Amino acid sequence: MRAEGAADGRRRPRVRTAAGVVEGRTGPRGTAVFLGIPYAAPPVGALRFAAPAPPAAWDGVRDAAAYGPTAPKVPYPDTFAALLPDPVIPGDDCLSVNVWTPDPAPGARLPVMVWIHGGAHTRGSSAVPVYDGSAFARDGVVLVSFNFRLGVLGYGLFPDAPANRGLLDQIAALAWVRDNIGAFGGDPDRVTVFGESAGAISIGALLAAPRAAGLFTRAVLQSGAPEVLPRPRVRAMVRRMASLLKVDATAAAFTVTAPDDLLAAQAAVLRRSGPLMGGPAFGLVTDPDTVPADPLDTLCAQAASAEVPLLLGWTRDEYRLWLAPTGGMRLLDRLGPLAVALARARAGKDRAAVRALRAALPAASPAELAGQLLTDRLLRDPLRRLAGARRAAPSFLYEFGWPSGVPGLGSCHALELGFVFDTLAVPEAAWLAGPDTPQALADVMHAAWVRFAVTGDPGWAAWNGDGPPKVFGGPELDGAGERVVTRRALP
């Protein structure tokens, strides 16, 4: 790396990647930031539904001062758009990475963290302001984030295209990190992947994917468990879109369909799916080339990634993000005991489990009990199963319990992100967290993630198959931002 004089008089860092030289910008405290570096060719034309292809090399110096285009996606419904920032940057070259580094010099060999964003496999990007990596670079970590194909482009199941293209994009991005991060001061042998929601689900698949073996050494799964969807459930989304578009349900037919028409059809079919109650959806499927078997079963059998330490967790009230803004909490409360019975059946719980939950949460309403049962099924039960099954490497469990200042949200899904990234000062962080967020809690939580990336130990005991997880935040905080008076652990 070398720094050149710029027109504004400041020195701009330059790094030579395998495809060419990129010029970034100087960030806070002397860190360096490089945005929008291609790791694969634009997925357009014949590449729209193909596996990612290598990026074209360039001559001269490529400016890396701005985020690259975001992957094509549909906007959140208004109720969620007010809570979850999701910028749209137009353009075709959406398969790009961003790098924040404290020392952009070959040979620094700093720990690396690679962020995989969430968004139900249909929304999100690396350009969300809360995902700014400056705090990680400030604390000695090279932070990488990237975009990948979403929705039907990334996860639609076709007879004439490879499955799990969004996951193939992620593997290509991790291969870019392996091949290039040393030039940015990172250590390709000390890479921690971390992601939330669909990003965590993706990491569960990457842990079990033979093609991803050796691309990372530690993993953090935030509010997402390893899973695959039944192929007919994903295929149904494509068929519904094809019916609306009046074309065949093939990649060939979708390739010649106008992008705006594809997104309009996708928006229509997404209105009939949801994370809590199932139904057709876009997501990962088993596939011989990428995810040969159910990833949770594979990992629990220690058939893959047994040597990778894991940090796993959830928020206390995950379900409130999906139910509170939409009026779902009020509906479930009107249903009363029927809501609890339906959730119990959906979660595969017996009546004893409901009695234990009532004992742990004596003031809980029917909606709260139903939401906790569904959270057990989606997150707590599979993550505990994964943590308890691992023997060769430790697993660490956490729960995020600080309640949002936005009425009704509680400790909802995605609330921990501003604390993990230490970006509470970013205006968009308040959309979900509300005012008066405790910086002390962000200090503690962010430091734990950095410690895990550096040492493989976030600072508390590995889970031994029993007992409550480490709890971050809650109604009572001490000076370090950690809960002092804890409620009873959920069963």
Side-chain angles (χ1 to χ4, degrees), residues 309-351:
L310 298 180
L311 176 56
L312 313 167
W314 50 81
T315 69
R316 186 189 63 206
D317 306 315
E318 296 273 1
Y319 60 94
R320 284 184 172 272
L321 179 63
W322 302 302
L323 295 179
T326 61
M329 296 290 290
R330 293 190 299 273
L331 173 62
L332 292 176
D333 278 336
R334 285 198 298 270
L335 291 174
L338 178 59
V340 178
L342 291 172
R344 181 178 71 81
R346 174 73 176 160
K349 299 284 188 177
D350 58 20
R351 288 182 173 83

Short mmCIF file of all heavy atoms in Angstrom, two decimals, residues 309-351:
data_model
loop_
_atom_site.label_atom_id
_atom_site.label_comp_id
_atom_site.label_asym_id
_atom_site.label_seq_id
_atom_site.Cartn_x
_atom_site.Cartn_y
_atom_site.Cartn_z
N PRO A 309 -14.95 -22.12 16.56
CA PRO A 309 -15.69 -21.60 17.72
C PRO A 309 -16.90 -20.78 17.27
O PRO A 309 -16.85 -20.09 16.24
CB PRO A 309 -14.65 -20.71 18.43
CG PRO A 309 -13.33 -21.19 17.94
CD PRO A 309 -13.55 -21.64 16.53
N LEU A 310 -17.97 -20.86 18.04
CA LEU A 310 -19.21 -20.19 17.69
C LEU A 310 -19.65 -19.25 18.81
O LEU A 310 -19.53 -19.56 19.99
CB LEU A 310 -20.33 -21.22 17.45
CG LEU A 310 -20.14 -22.21 16.30
CD1 LEU A 310 -21.34 -23.14 16.23
CD2 LEU A 310 -19.95 -21.48 14.99
N LEU A 311 -20.19 -18.11 18.40
CA LEU A 311 -20.89 -17.19 19.29
C LEU A 311 -22.32 -17.11 18.77
O LEU A 311 -22.55 -16.72 17.61
CB LEU A 311 -20.21 -15.81 19.27
CG LEU A 311 -20.86 -14.68 20.05
CD1 LEU A 311 -21.06 -15.04 21.51
CD2 LEU A 311 -20.01 -13.41 19.93
N LEU A 312 -23.30 -17.50 19.60
CA LEU A 312 -24.67 -17.69 19.16
C LEU A 312 -25.61 -16.94 20.10
O LEU A 312 -25.42 -16.97 21.31
CB LEU A 312 -25.06 -19.17 19.18
CG LEU A 312 -24.08 -20.18 18.56
CD1 LEU A 312 -24.46 -21.59 18.96
CD2 LEU A 312 -24.08 -20.03 17.05
N GLY A 313 -26.65 -16.30 19.56
CA GLY A 313 -27.57 -15.64 20.46
C GLY A 313 -28.79 -15.08 19.79
O GLY A 313 -29.02 -15.23 18.59
N TRP A 314 -29.61 -14.41 20.62
CA TRP A 314 -30.91 -13.91 20.20
C TRP A 314 -31.26 -12.70 21.05
O TRP A 314 -30.58 -12.38 22.03
CB TRP A 314 -31.98 -14.99 20.38
CG TRP A 314 -31.95 -15.61 21.75
CD1 TRP A 314 -32.50 -15.11 22.92
CD2 TRP A 314 -31.30 -16.83 22.14
NE1 TRP A 314 -32.25 -15.94 23.98
CE2 TRP A 314 -31.52 -17.00 23.54
CE3 TRP A 314 -30.58 -17.82 21.45
CZ2 TRP A 314 -31.03 -18.11 24.25
CZ3 TRP A 314 -30.10 -18.90 22.15
CH2 TRP A 314 -30.31 -19.05 23.53
N THR A 315 -32.31 -12.01 20.67
CA THR A 315 -32.86 -10.95 21.51
C THR A 315 -34.03 -11.51 22.30
O THR A 315 -34.67 -12.48 21.89
CB THR A 315 -33.32 -9.74 20.68
OG1 THR A 315 -34.47 -10.10 19.91
CG2 THR A 315 -32.21 -9.26 19.75
N ARG A 316 -34.32 -10.91 23.42
CA ARG A 316 -35.33 -11.45 24.33
C ARG A 316 -36.72 -11.51 23.69
O ARG A 316 -37.49 -12.43 23.91
CB ARG A 316 -35.38 -10.60 25.61
CG ARG A 316 -36.30 -11.15 26.70
CD ARG A 316 -36.47 -10.13 27.82
NE ARG A 316 -37.12 -8.92 27.33
CZ ARG A 316 -36.97 -7.72 27.86
NH1 ARG A 316 -36.15 -7.56 28.89
NH2 ARG A 316 -37.60 -6.67 27.37
N ASP A 317 -37.05 -10.49 22.89
CA ASP A 317 -38.39 -10.37 22.32
C ASP A 317 -38.32 -10.31 20.80
O ASP A 317 -38.87 -9.39 20.18
CB ASP A 317 -39.10 -9.11 22.85
CG ASP A 317 -39.12 -9.04 24.37
OD1 ASP A 317 -39.44 -10.06 25.00
OD2 ASP A 317 -38.83 -7.95 24.91
N GLU A 318 -37.65 -11.27 20.19
CA GLU A 318 -37.47 -11.27 18.74
C GLU A 318 -38.77 -10.97 18.00
O GLU A 318 -38.83 -10.18 17.07
CB GLU A 318 -36.96 -12.65 18.29
CG GLU A 318 -35.61 -13.06 18.82
CD GLU A 318 -34.46 -12.58 17.97
OE1 GLU A 318 -34.71 -11.90 16.94
OE2 GLU A 318 -33.31 -12.89 18.31
N TYR A 319 -39.83 -11.65 18.38
CA TYR A 319 -41.09 -11.66 17.66
C TYR A 319 -41.75 -10.28 17.57
O TYR A 319 -42.58 -10.01 16.68
CB TYR A 319 -42.08 -12.62 18.35
CG TYR A 319 -42.37 -12.25 19.79
CD1 TYR A 319 -43.47 -11.47 20.13
CD2 TYR A 319 -41.51 -12.66 20.81
CE1 TYR A 319 -43.72 -11.12 21.44
CE2 TYR A 319 -41.76 -12.31 22.13
CZ TYR A 319 -42.85 -11.54 22.44
OH TYR A 319 -43.10 -11.18 23.74
N ARG A 320 -41.40 -9.37 18.48
CA ARG A 320 -42.09 -8.09 18.52
C ARG A 320 -41.84 -7.25 17.26
O ARG A 320 -42.70 -6.44 16.88
CB ARG A 320 -41.70 -7.29 19.76
CG ARG A 320 -42.37 -7.81 21.03
CD ARG A 320 -42.05 -6.94 22.24
NE ARG A 320 -42.84 -7.34 23.39
CZ ARG A 320 -44.05 -6.87 23.68
NH1 ARG A 320 -44.61 -5.97 22.88
NH2 ARG A 320 -44.70 -7.27 24.74
N LEU A 321 -40.70 -7.43 16.58
CA LEU A 321 -40.47 -6.68 15.35
C LEU A 321 -41.50 -7.04 14.30
O LEU A 321 -41.96 -6.19 13.53
CB LEU A 321 -39.06 -6.93 14.82
CG LEU A 321 -38.73 -6.21 13.51
CD1 LEU A 321 -38.78 -4.71 13.68
CD2 LEU A 321 -37.37 -6.64 12.98
N TRP A 322 -41.88 -8.31 14.23
CA TRP A 322 -42.82 -8.76 13.21
C TRP A 322 -44.27 -8.53 13.62
O TRP A 322 -45.13 -8.34 12.76
CB TRP A 322 -42.59 -10.25 12.93
CG TRP A 322 -41.20 -10.55 12.49
CD1 TRP A 322 -40.54 -10.03 11.41
CD2 TRP A 322 -40.26 -11.43 13.13
NE1 TRP A 322 -39.26 -10.52 11.34
CE2 TRP A 322 -39.06 -11.39 12.38
CE3 TRP A 322 -40.33 -12.25 14.25
CZ2 TRP A 322 -37.94 -12.14 12.71
CZ3 TRP A 322 -39.21 -13.00 14.58
CH2 TRP A 322 -38.03 -12.93 13.83
N LEU A 323 -44.57 -8.55 14.92
CA LEU A 323 -45.96 -8.50 15.36
C LEU A 323 -46.41 -7.12 15.83
O LEU A 323 -47.54 -6.73 15.57
CB LEU A 323 -46.18 -9.51 16.49
CG LEU A 323 -46.02 -10.99 16.12
CD1 LEU A 323 -46.24 -11.87 17.34
CD2 LEU A 323 -46.99 -11.37 15.00
N ALA A 324 -45.55 -6.39 16.54
CA ALA A 324 -46.00 -5.12 17.12
C ALA A 324 -46.35 -4.07 16.06
O ALA A 324 -47.41 -3.44 16.14
CB ALA A 324 -44.94 -4.59 18.09
N PRO A 325 -45.51 -3.81 15.04
CA PRO A 325 -45.85 -2.75 14.08
C PRO A 325 -47.07 -3.06 13.23
O PRO A 325 -47.69 -2.15 12.68
CB PRO A 325 -44.59 -2.65 13.21
CG PRO A 325 -43.51 -3.31 13.98
CD PRO A 325 -44.19 -4.39 14.76
N THR A 326 -47.42 -4.34 13.09
CA THR A 326 -48.50 -4.74 12.19
C THR A 326 -49.84 -4.95 12.89
O THR A 326 -50.83 -5.28 12.23
CB THR A 326 -48.12 -6.06 11.49
OG1 THR A 326 -47.94 -7.09 12.48
CG2 THR A 326 -46.83 -5.89 10.70
N GLY A 327 -49.88 -4.81 14.19
CA GLY A 327 -51.10 -5.09 14.94
C GLY A 327 -51.25 -6.55 15.29
O GLY A 327 -52.29 -6.96 15.85
N GLY A 328 -50.24 -7.36 15.01
CA GLY A 328 -50.32 -8.78 15.30
C GLY A 328 -50.42 -9.09 16.78
O GLY A 328 -51.05 -10.07 17.17
N MET A 329 -49.80 -8.25 17.60
CA MET A 329 -49.88 -8.49 19.05
C MET A 329 -51.32 -8.35 19.53
O MET A 329 -51.81 -9.17 20.31
CB MET A 329 -48.98 -7.50 19.80
CG MET A 329 -47.49 -7.64 19.51
SD MET A 329 -46.76 -9.14 20.20
CE MET A 329 -46.79 -8.76 21.94
N ARG A 330 -52.01 -7.32 19.04
CA ARG A 330 -53.41 -7.12 19.45
C ARG A 330 -54.29 -8.28 18.98
O ARG A 330 -55.17 -8.75 19.70
CB ARG A 330 -53.93 -5.80 18.90
CG ARG A 330 -53.27 -4.57 19.52
CD ARG A 330 -53.99 -3.29 19.13
NE ARG A 330 -53.99 -3.08 17.69
CZ ARG A 330 -53.03 -2.47 17.02
NH1 ARG A 330 -51.97 -1.99 17.69
NH2 ARG A 330 -53.11 -2.29 15.72
N LEU A 331 -54.02 -8.76 17.76
CA LEU A 331 -54.81 -9.87 17.24
C LEU A 331 -54.62 -11.13 18.08
O LEU A 331 -55.60 -11.81 18.44
CB LEU A 331 -54.40 -10.15 15.79
CG LEU A 331 -55.01 -11.40 15.13
CD1 LEU A 331 -56.53 -11.27 15.08
CD2 LEU A 331 -54.43 -11.61 13.74
N LEU A 332 -53.38 -11.45 18.42
CA LEU A 332 -53.12 -12.64 19.22
C LEU A 332 -53.71 -12.51 20.62
O LEU A 332 -54.20 -13.49 21.20
CB LEU A 332 -51.62 -12.90 19.29
CG LEU A 332 -50.96 -13.33 17.98
CD1 LEU A 332 -49.45 -13.47 18.16
CD2 LEU A 332 -51.55 -14.62 17.46
N ASP A 333 -53.67 -11.31 21.17
CA ASP A 333 -54.28 -11.13 22.49
C ASP A 333 -55.79 -11.33 22.44
O ASP A 333 -56.39 -11.85 23.38
CB ASP A 333 -53.94 -9.74 23.05
CG ASP A 333 -52.56 -9.68 23.69
OD1 ASP A 333 -52.07 -10.75 24.11
OD2 ASP A 333 -51.98 -8.59 23.77
N ARG A 334 -56.42 -10.93 21.32
CA ARG A 334 -57.86 -11.16 21.19
C ARG A 334 -58.16 -12.66 21.09
O ARG A 334 -59.20 -13.13 21.58
CB ARG A 334 -58.41 -10.43 19.97
CG ARG A 334 -58.54 -8.91 20.17
CD ARG A 334 -59.47 -8.28 19.15
NE ARG A 334 -59.00 -8.44 17.78
CZ ARG A 334 -58.20 -7.58 17.16
NH1 ARG A 334 -57.78 -6.49 17.81
NH2 ARG A 334 -57.83 -7.78 15.92
N LEU A 335 -57.26 -13.40 20.45
CA LEU A 335 -57.46 -14.84 20.35
C LEU A 335 -57.26 -15.55 21.69
O LEU A 335 -57.77 -16.65 21.91
CB LEU A 335 -56.50 -15.43 19.31
CG LEU A 335 -56.77 -15.05 17.85
CD1 LEU A 335 -55.67 -15.59 16.96
CD2 LEU A 335 -58.13 -15.55 17.39
N GLY A 336 -56.48 -14.95 22.57
CA GLY A 336 -56.30 -15.46 23.92
C GLY A 336 -55.67 -16.85 23.94
O GLY A 336 -54.66 -17.10 23.27
N PRO A 337 -56.26 -17.79 24.70
CA PRO A 337 -55.68 -19.13 24.81
C PRO A 337 -55.52 -19.85 23.47
O PRO A 337 -54.62 -20.67 23.32
CB PRO A 337 -56.68 -19.87 25.71
CG PRO A 337 -57.35 -18.79 26.49
CD PRO A 337 -57.45 -17.62 25.57
N LEU A 338 -56.39 -19.52 22.49
CA LEU A 338 -56.26 -20.16 21.19
C LEU A 338 -54.93 -19.78 20.54
O LEU A 338 -54.28 -20.62 19.90
CB LEU A 338 -57.42 -19.74 20.29
CG LEU A 338 -57.38 -20.29 18.85
CD1 LEU A 338 -57.38 -21.82 18.85
CD2 LEU A 338 -58.56 -19.74 18.04
N ALA A 339 -54.49 -18.53 20.69
CA ALA A 339 -53.20 -18.11 20.14
C ALA A 339 -52.06 -18.91 20.74
O ALA A 339 -51.13 -19.34 20.04
CB ALA A 339 -52.98 -16.61 20.38
N VAL A 340 -52.12 -19.12 22.05
CA VAL A 340 -51.07 -19.89 22.73
C VAL A 340 -51.10 -21.33 22.25
O VAL A 340 -50.05 -21.94 21.99
CB VAL A 340 -51.24 -19.81 24.25
CG1 VAL A 340 -50.17 -20.65 24.96
CG2 VAL A 340 -51.15 -18.35 24.72
N ALA A 341 -52.28 -21.90 22.09
CA ALA A 341 -52.39 -23.29 21.64
C ALA A 341 -51.86 -23.45 20.22
O ALA A 341 -51.15 -24.42 19.92
CB ALA A 341 -53.85 -23.74 21.71
N LEU A 342 -52.19 -22.51 19.34
CA LEU A 342 -51.70 -22.58 17.97
C LEU A 342 -50.18 -22.45 17.93
O LEU A 342 -49.49 -23.16 17.19
CB LEU A 342 -52.36 -21.49 17.12
CG LEU A 342 -53.85 -21.67 16.84
CD1 LEU A 342 -54.41 -20.42 16.15
CD2 LEU A 342 -54.10 -22.90 15.98
N ALA A 343 -49.64 -21.51 18.72
CA ALA A 343 -48.18 -21.33 18.75
C ALA A 343 -47.50 -22.56 19.34
O ALA A 343 -46.43 -22.97 18.87
CB ALA A 343 -47.83 -20.08 19.56
N ARG A 344 -48.11 -23.14 20.35
CA ARG A 344 -47.53 -24.36 20.94
C ARG A 344 -47.47 -25.49 19.91
O ARG A 344 -46.45 -26.18 19.80
CB ARG A 344 -48.36 -24.81 22.14
CG ARG A 344 -47.82 -26.05 22.83
CD ARG A 344 -48.65 -26.42 24.05
NE ARG A 344 -49.95 -26.95 23.70
CZ ARG A 344 -50.17 -28.22 23.33
NH1 ARG A 344 -49.17 -29.08 23.25
NH2 ARG A 344 -51.39 -28.62 23.05
N ALA A 345 -48.53 -25.64 19.13
CA ALA A 345 -48.53 -26.68 18.10
C ALA A 345 -47.48 -26.38 17.03
O ALA A 345 -46.77 -27.28 16.58
CB ALA A 345 -49.92 -26.78 17.48
N ARG A 346 -47.41 -25.11 16.62
CA ARG A 346 -46.43 -24.72 15.60
C ARG A 346 -45.01 -24.96 16.10
O ARG A 346 -44.12 -25.37 15.34
CB ARG A 346 -46.63 -23.25 15.25
CG ARG A 346 -45.60 -22.64 14.32
CD ARG A 346 -45.77 -23.13 12.92
NE ARG A 346 -44.84 -22.46 12.02
CZ ARG A 346 -44.50 -22.95 10.83
NH1 ARG A 346 -45.01 -24.09 10.41
NH2 ARG A 346 -43.66 -22.31 10.06
N ALA A 347 -44.76 -24.70 17.39
CA ALA A 347 -43.42 -24.84 17.96
C ALA A 347 -43.10 -26.27 18.36
O ALA A 347 -41.96 -26.56 18.74
CB ALA A 347 -43.27 -23.92 19.17
N GLY A 348 -44.08 -27.16 18.32
CA GLY A 348 -43.84 -28.55 18.71
C GLY A 348 -43.59 -28.71 20.19
O GLY A 348 -42.83 -29.59 20.62
N LYS A 349 -44.25 -27.88 21.02
CA LYS A 349 -44.05 -27.91 22.47
C LYS A 349 -45.19 -28.68 23.15
O LYS A 349 -46.32 -28.72 22.64
CB LYS A 349 -44.01 -26.49 23.03
CG LYS A 349 -42.89 -25.62 22.48
CD LYS A 349 -41.55 -25.99 23.09
CE LYS A 349 -40.48 -24.98 22.69
NZ LYS A 349 -39.19 -25.28 23.32
N ASP A 350 -44.90 -29.25 24.31
CA ASP A 350 -45.96 -29.87 25.08
C ASP A 350 -46.50 -28.88 26.10
O ASP A 350 -45.99 -27.76 26.26
CB ASP A 350 -45.46 -31.15 25.76
CG ASP A 350 -44.26 -30.90 26.68
OD1 ASP A 350 -44.05 -29.74 27.10
OD2 ASP A 350 -43.55 -31.87 26.99
N ARG A 351 -47.55 -29.27 26.81
CA ARG A 351 -48.18 -28.35 27.76
C ARG A 351 -47.25 -28.01 28.93
O ARG A 351 -47.35 -26.93 29.52
CB ARG A 351 -49.48 -28.97 28.27
CG ARG A 351 -50.60 -28.97 27.22
CD ARG A 351 -51.89 -29.54 27.77
NE ARG A 351 -52.99 -29.38 26.83
CZ ARG A 351 -53.24 -30.22 25.81
NH1 ARG A 351 -52.44 -31.27 25.61
NH2 ARG A 351 -54.25 -30.00 25.00
#
